[in-house]
Amino acid sequence: MKLTTITHVSVDGVMQGLGGPDEDRRGGFERGGWALPLFDDEAATFLGEVFQRADAFLFGRRTYEIFAGSWGTGSWGADQGDNPISVALNRGPKYVASTTLTDPQWADTTVLSDDVAAAVGELKATPGGELQVHGSGNLVRWLVDNRLIDEITLLTYPVVVGQGTRLFPATGPDAALDLVESRAFSKGITLGVYRLTGRPQYAT
């Protein structure tokens, strides 16, 4: 399977608390819910298609718990549980990288707690199309560090949030990206799909 990450970020790179005011208040974050006012029908259709093509999902613990408490209960999204995202998440196998989660309540969930790199490598070697990571900032950064990502999808929202956890840290590994696909949605969200191609070249 190809490992792809799908991340919603502001122009200044914030990914924290995009869905609602109380979704993630860690670190005193008070600007939650910044994405939904800009999320139009066109972007919703695109995202539904992304979820539908997944063969399996990989999460960090925090994002898993947010998703399990919303999409997993059928209490979130248009038509509650009868929408492309809920259907995809509830029918597909889910994996959580966590050393603290012991009893996942969401059906068809497997906890990866030991050698996560080996476990992800085994998942990628499984026949199939796409192993998707949604949100899960700490996990995405770890996957970048370990060169396990095949493709990065960024949905960049036309807003500067000004505080909160960013996708990439101020100091970290570098990576060269090839643009695979790009487009813009009606309220200004821009899509960029990138393939990782090793380290960048630098001017000398």
Side-chain angles (χ1 to χ4, degrees):
M1 289 191 286
K2 177 173 69 174
L3 195 156
T4 63
T5 65
I6 296 90
T7 313
H8 304 255
V9 296
S10 64
V11 166
D12 55 336
V14 174
M15 63 179 298
Q16 184 173 356
L18 71 157
D22 298 317
E23 180 179 275
D24 184 355
R25 289 186 173 269
R26 286 175 299 163
F29 184 67
E30 298 177 343
R31 299 176 183 175
W34 50 266
L36 288 187
L38 298 164
F39 193 70
D40 56 25
D41 290 343
E42 188 181 6
T45 298
F46 168 79
L47 197 62
E49 292 169 351
V50 168
F51 274 88
Q52 286 289 313
R53 71 176 188 236
D55 291 284
F57 298 95
L58 174 63
F59 296 102
R61 175 165 182 168
R62 182 170 294 273
T63 299
Y64 172 80
E65 290 179 338
I66 291 170
F67 275 42
S70 53
W71 300 111
T73 63
S75 63
W76 187 255
D79 300 319
Q80 303 304 304
D82 186 20
N83 61 78
I85 295 176
S86 286
V87 169
L89 286 167
N90 284 294
R91 78 176 179 208
K94 293 163 283 291
Y95 299 88
V96 188
S98 175
T99 58
T100 56
L101 183 64
T102 57
D103 185 24
Q105 300 298 308
W106 201 357
D108 207 1
T109 296
T110 301
V111 179
L112 309 178
S113 59
D114 295 325
D115 189 341
V116 176
V120 171
E122 289 176 6
L123 287 174
K124 290 184 63 176
T126 303
E130 205 166 326
L131 173 63
Q132 289 184 358
V133 180
H134 291 266
S136 308
N138 287 338
L139 176 60
V140 169
R141 288 184 285 275
W142 181 87
L143 290 167
V144 170
D145 289 349
N146 287 273
R147 307 290 180 179
L148 289 168
I149 296 174
D150 297 301
E151 208 167 82
I152 292 174
T153 295
L154 290 181
L155 290 156
T156 303
Y157 289 66
V159 60
V160 174
V161 177
Q163 65 169 215
T165 302
R166 286 160 172 78
L167 174 57
F168 295 111
T171 302
D174 54 2
L177 306 174
D178 274 353
L179 183 65
V180 176
E181 180 185 354
S182 65
R183 61 187 285 196
F185 301 110
S186 60
K187 287 191 175 181
I189 299 171
T190 56
L191 164 71
V193 181
Y194 304 93
R195 187 170 295 122
L196 281 79
T197 59
R199 293 196 64 195
Q201 295 182 349
Y202 295 96
T204 57

